[in-house]
């Protein structure tokens, strides 16, 4: 049973929520709007949301000796094409996708068998290992960034993909989450599989993994959101090699030369970096929110 | 796990008593010198001040807003999903990208915020409302009146405003996540409790909240507060992108200090000492949370 308030109170609630929504939306609005406008429109704050889209001439391009006609485009086209031209944005996006996907895959490869061993197999020292997992849950990865960085520097791994990936390969959170999930799988199922002659290895991947899909989804959300957006760790270990920049680092690179005319392209870059996750979220929001609920409350 | 998680903690602890720097062959033991510096020098005093202010502002505000939004959305007849989606957007967006966008929005001359504030100055009723003239306040001496005549704050460039602006962005980013956790908590409150309370004569929605909803949300609140605190201690993106700890170290938070000292200045020992302090804070928080949750479980 739900208590329904009067229409006046209901309208009042909507008013508060709309006001909040406007503040939340404001930077997204600014970002999209600036990515569509010409530099003049940005500076004078005219042109409404999308700008007038009057054709504009790229003076820099003219200086390079191209004809004026070739250098004329609409502000949208200019901003977004500059985003890809000024810095190797495709490369950054690829790095981001590659690093994020590798981290998640390795995390699953480690967490699923570990969780299986911790929940379904009996072996000497199991409780101790699980206690250690619980203890490690207390350590936030940021706190150990510095010693990790030094260890990686000692073995000469800074400025490599490995440096971006290795520290995140063991997710205690993932192990913990998977273990909680596996505990709910009946032992009979595993015994039946063993009677059918399956090896422990194939039990993990062919029996346990499919049952854990909802938990994996939840974990994927946390992992992907965190690593696609992460700025601190790449900033620490990738010190010069632009070929290894992840999208947030790439955006910062863009910021270095932030003179007035680059705002449009810069906002276009920001939009391109933010959009993949937002679109994924909009497409699968029910699952997203459920996933966070599922894992957040354990 | 040992290599990646536990060894670093020990390494940090050891390094914090040295003057090690990367590239040097050896190092000297300096005892508690790093710690002594941390508690006596004004830079680190400012660091602790900025970090604690950030945490003490962002945590309560974002938890309160998250709870408020969850309660409002939960009691709506329609449209709840719409607000849920919008409020959750900042959680998904790369904080660095959004920080830069906020920088433009807050830009003193072309930013939307100051632009809007300034355009209000010329509109009679807005000016009177915002400067307090409508209830007899002296408009020129009010915050808004001063802004109209002398220009509005630089926000990120002003030592009096920078930390608050960074806090604001922190709240903006964090509260949607808290809202989702509270919404989840609300679905687990048994409906029968409300019915029972109604029979016992609890009618106002305020007392319903205090007698049932709030106590039932206890475990959620403990969880939400801890996780928000840990995240707030880790604030880095906004500071590095927007203020570099300035102006006058007013936004010099811990994670940024670790980054600056250890990685940019190569004072690894000092960075390690800050790391150890940071770790101590976070461990304490998590242990407090465990303890609170366990106590709850015993009572329930």
């Amino acid at each position: 049973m739900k208590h329904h308030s009067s229409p006046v109170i209901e309208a009042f609630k909507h008013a508060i929520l709309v006001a909040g929504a406007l503040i939340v939306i404001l930077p997204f609005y600014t970002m999209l709007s600036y990515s569509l406008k010409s530099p003049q429109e940005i500076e004078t704050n005219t042109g409404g949301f999308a700008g007038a889209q009057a054709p504009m001439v790229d003076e820099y391009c003219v200086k390079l000796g191209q004809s004026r006609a070739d250098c004329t485009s609409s502000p949208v086209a200019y901003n977004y094409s500059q985003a890809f031209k000024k810095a190797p944005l495709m490369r950054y996006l690829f790095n981001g996708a590659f690093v994020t996907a590798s981290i998640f895959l390795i995390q699953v490869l480690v967490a699923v068998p570990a969780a299986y061993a911790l929940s379904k197999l009996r072996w000497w020292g199991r409780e101790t290992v699980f206690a250690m997992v619980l203890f490690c849950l207390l350590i936030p990865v940021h706190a150990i960034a510095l010693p990790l960085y030094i260890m990686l520097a000692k073995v000469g791994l800074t400025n490599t993909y490995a440096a971006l990936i290795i520290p995140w390969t063991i997710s205690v959170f993932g192990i913990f989450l998977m273990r909680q999930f596996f505990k709910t799988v009946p032992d009979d199922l595993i015994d039946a599989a063993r009677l059918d002659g399956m090896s422990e290895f194939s039990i993990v991947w062919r029996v346990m993994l499919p049952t854990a899909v909802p938990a994996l989804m939840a974990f994927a959300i946390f992992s992907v959101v965190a690593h696609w957006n992460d700025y601190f760790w790449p900033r620490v270990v990738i010190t010069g090699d632009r070929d290894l920049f992840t999208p947030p680092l790439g955006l910062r690179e863009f910021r270095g030369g932030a003179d007035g005319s680059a705002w449009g392209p810069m906002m276009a870059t920001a939009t391109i970096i933010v959009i993949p996750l937002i679109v994924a979220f909009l497409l699968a929001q029910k699952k997203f929110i459920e996933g966070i609920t599922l894992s957040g409350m354990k | 796990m040992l290599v990646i998680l536990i060894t670093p903690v020990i390494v940090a602890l050891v390094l914090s008593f040295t003057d090690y720097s990367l590239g040097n062959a050896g190092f000297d033991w300096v005892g508690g010198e790093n710690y002594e510096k941390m508690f006596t020098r004004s830079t680190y005093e400012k660091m602790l001040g900025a970090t604690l202010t950030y945490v003490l502002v962002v945590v309560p505000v974002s938890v309160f807003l998250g709870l408020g939004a969850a309660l409002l959305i939960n009691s709506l007849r329609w449209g709840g999903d719409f607000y849920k989606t919008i409020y959750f957007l900042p959680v998904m967006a790369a904080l660095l990208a959004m920080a830069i966008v906020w920088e433009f929005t807050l830009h003193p001359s072309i930013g939307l915020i100051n632009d809007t504030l300034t355009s209000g100055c010329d509109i009679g009723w807005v000016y009177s409302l915002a400067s307090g003239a409508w209830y007899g306040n002296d408009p020129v001496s009010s915050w808004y009146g001063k802004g109209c005549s002398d220009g509005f704050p630089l926000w990120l460039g002003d030592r009096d405003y920078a930390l608050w602006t960074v806090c604001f962005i922190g709240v903006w980013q964090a509260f949607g996540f808290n809202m989702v956790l509270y919404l989840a908590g609300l679905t687990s409150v048994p409906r029968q409790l409300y019915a029972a309370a109604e029979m016992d004569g609890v009618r106002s929605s305020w007392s319903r909240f205090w007698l049932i909803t709030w106590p039932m949300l206890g475990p959620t609140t403990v969880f939400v507060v801890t996780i928000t605190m840990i995240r707030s201690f880790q604030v880095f993106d906004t500071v590095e992108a927007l203020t570099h700890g300035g102006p006058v170290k007013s936004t010099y938070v811990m994670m940024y200090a670790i980054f600056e000292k250890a990685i940019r200045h190569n004072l690894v020992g000092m960075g390690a000492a800050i790391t150890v302090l940071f770790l101590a804070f976070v461990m304490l928080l998590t242990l407090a949370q465990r303890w609170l949750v366990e106590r709850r479980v015993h009572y329930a």
Side-chain angles (χ1 to χ4, degrees):
Chain A
M1 54 165 282
K2 238 182 167 178
H3 287 268
H4 282 306
S5 40
S6 70
V8 180
I9 294 184
E10 182 85 357
F12 184 64
K13 285 176 184 167
H14 276 288
I16 297 176
L17 287 167
V18 166
L22 286 178
I23 298 176
V24 171
I25 284 285
L26 178 69
F28 292 101
Y29 173 89
T30 314
M31 178 174 79
L32 265 181
S33 168
Y34 279 18
S35 79
L36 301 174
K37 290 185 185 185
S38 71
Q40 288 79 17
E41 284 166 332
I42 293 175
E43 260 165 74
T44 52
N45 208 355
T46 52
F49 174 68
Q53 297 303 333
M56 53 173 278
V57 181
D58 180 3
E59 294 300 337
Y60 182 68
C61 162
V62 175
K63 263 188 219 148
L64 288 180
Q66 310 235 24
S67 77
R68 283 193 90 76
D70 282 344
C71 290
T72 308
S73 61
S74 69
V76 193
Y78 171 77
N79 290 339
Y80 281 88
S81 65
Q82 281 296 306
F84 284 96
K85 260 186 237 159
K86 273 208 160 180
L89 185 56
M90 281 313 283
R91 174 88 205 187
Y92 300 162
L93 290 171
F94 166 78
N95 288 343
F98 175 73
V99 168
T100 311
S102 313
I103 290 176
F104 177 65
L105 278 179
I106 302 177
Q107 281 177 337
V108 171
L109 284 180
V110 174
V112 170
Y116 175 71
L118 282 171
S119 61
K120 293 294 178 193
L121 301 179
R122 325 224 142 265
W123 38 282
W124 184 84
R126 188 177 90 161
E127 295 314 310
T128 322
V129 172
F130 184 61
M132 262 167 57
V133 169
L134 286 180
F135 175 74
C136 287
L137 273 176
L138 303 183
I139 307 171
V141 208
H142 279 79
I144 55 173
L146 176 61
L148 269 178
Y149 167 73
I150 292 164
M151 286 154 72
L152 285 169
K154 277 279 161 205
V155 285
L157 277 178
T158 46
N159 286 313
T160 60
Y161 280 123
L164 288 171
I165 296 169
I166 287 176
W168 313 103
T169 48
I170 299 181
S171 165
V172 260
F173 174 68
I175 297 177
F176 182 72
L177 188 72
M178 288 294 142
R179 177 187 174 268
Q180 300 304 92
F181 224 79
F182 286 168
K183 288 203 93 160
T184 63
V185 177
D187 284 336
D188 293 348
L189 187 66
I190 298 162
D191 289 336
R194 284 197 188 118
L195 282 178
D196 286 348
M198 283 175 94
S199 68
E200 293 296 316
F201 185 77
S202 50
I203 290 177
V204 169
W205 300 114
R206 308 232 317 261
V207 180
M208 300 306 275
L209 191 66
T211 63
V213 170
L216 271 182
M217 274 287 295
F219 179 55
I221 292 159
F222 273 101
S223 176
V224 169
V225 170
H227 298 298
W228 178 266
N229 291 337
D230 188 25
Y231 174 60
F232 179 76
W233 185 248
R235 181 87 176 87
V236 168
V237 289
I238 303 299
T239 43
D241 194 347
R242 282 179 86 192
D243 280 348
L244 292 175
F245 277 11
T246 57
L249 272 183
L251 179 62
R252 182 185 172 281
E253 179 79 346
F254 225 93
R255 209 169 157 267
D259 52 61
S261 58
W263 287 333
M266 201 173 133
M267 288 297 116
T269 313
T271 311
I272 294 166
I273 288 170
V274 167
I275 279 220
L277 284 188
I278 301 274
V279 169
F281 166 66
L282 291 177
L283 288 178
Q285 27 168 333
K286 272 254 149 60
K287 280 241 149 52
F288 259 78
I289 293 183
E290 267 166 25
I292 282 176
T293 313
L294 174 82
S295 47
M297 303 308 294
K298 295 263 155 142
Chain B
M1 195 164 73
L2 264 175
V3 177
I4 294 191
L5 288 164
I6 296 180
T7 323
V9 175
I10 300 163
V11 172
L13 207 59
V14 172
L15 285 175
S16 70
F17 295 106
T18 68
D19 64 353
Y20 179 77
S21 64
L22 262 184
N24 286 10
F27 54 79
D28 290 323
W29 294 97
V30 293
E33 201 177 284
N34 288 325
Y35 291 96
E36 201 188 307
K37 269 188 207 159
M38 196 152 62
F39 290 108
T40 49
R41 290 218 185 146
S42 73
T43 308
Y44 300 109
E45 202 176 290
K46 279 186 179 154
M47 171 189 86
L48 291 175
T51 312
L52 291 178
T53 314
Y54 183 87
V55 172
L56 290 178
V57 170
V58 171
V59 173
V61 176
S62 68
V63 169
F64 177 78
L65 284 180
L67 174 64
L71 286 172
L72 274 179
I73 288 173
N74 206 38
S75 71
L76 282 181
R77 230 165 292 178
W78 51 269
D81 283 337
F82 170 73
Y83 297 114
K84 251 188 250 177
T85 308
I86 299 227
Y87 288 169
F88 201 69
L89 285 180
V91 183
M92 306 295 304
L95 185 54
L96 180 79
M98 297 327 285
I100 291 173
V101 179
W102 270 114
E103 187 185 15
F104 283 99
T105 313
L106 292 161
H107 192 284
S109 62
I110 64 157
L112 196 63
I113 306 253
N114 280 3
D115 227 58
T116 313
L117 286 172
T118 313
S119 62
C121 293
D122 299 327
I123 304 170
W125 66 270
V126 176
Y127 182 75
S128 125
L129 197 69
S131 64
W134 59 283
Y135 68 83
N137 203 4
D138 175 18
V140 186
S141 70
S142 70
W143 185 86
Y144 192 74
K146 276 199 196 115
C148 280
S149 51
D150 309 334
F152 285 100
L154 303 171
W155 301 115
L156 291 162
D158 186 325
R159 63 199 276 190
D160 294 331
Y161 287 99
L163 184 58
W164 302 105
T165 312
V166 172
C167 286
F168 170 79
I169 300 176
V171 169
W172 172 84
Q173 215 255 343
F175 93 98
F177 188 68
N178 295 344
M179 171 198 74
V180 168
L181 293 177
Y182 269 123
L183 280 170
L186 282 173
T187 57
S188 67
V189 179
R191 294 269 155 244
Q192 303 92 300
L193 279 182
Y194 292 108
E198 190 125 334
M199 274 192 232
D200 288 345
V202 176
R203 298 238 170 263
S204 82
S205 51
W206 188 245
S207 39
R208 246 197 335 261
F209 173 76
W210 274 118
L211 287 170
I212 303 164
T213 318
W214 179 242
M216 288 304 287
L217 285 177
T220 313
T221 304
V222 173
F223 179 76
V224 168
V225 168
T226 327
I227 207 164
T228 319
M229 271 205 187
I230 293 178
R231 286 178 181 214
S232 312
F233 267 114
Q234 290 170 0
V235 59
F236 174 76
D237 304 24
T238 31
V239 171
E240 211 265 352
L242 301 180
T243 63
H244 292 279
V248 218
K249 299 264 182 246
S250 58
T251 59
Y252 197 63
V253 294
M254 267 177 148
M255 279 315 286
Y256 186 74
I258 296 176
F259 171 75
E260 194 194 64
K261 285 293 154 204
I263 292 171
R264 295 196 39 215
H265 301 172
N266 202 0
L267 298 168
V268 173
M270 194 62 225
I274 307 174
T275 300
V276 170
L277 184 69
F278 171 79
L279 201 60
F281 272 129
V282 175
M283 291 274 224
L284 220 67
L285 279 174
T286 328
L287 288 175
Q289 181 221 11
R290 283 283 145 90
W291 181 77
L292 272 172
V293 169
E294 248 139 57
R295 217 181 50 157
R296 286 237 157 231
V297 173
H298 282 299
Y299 281 120

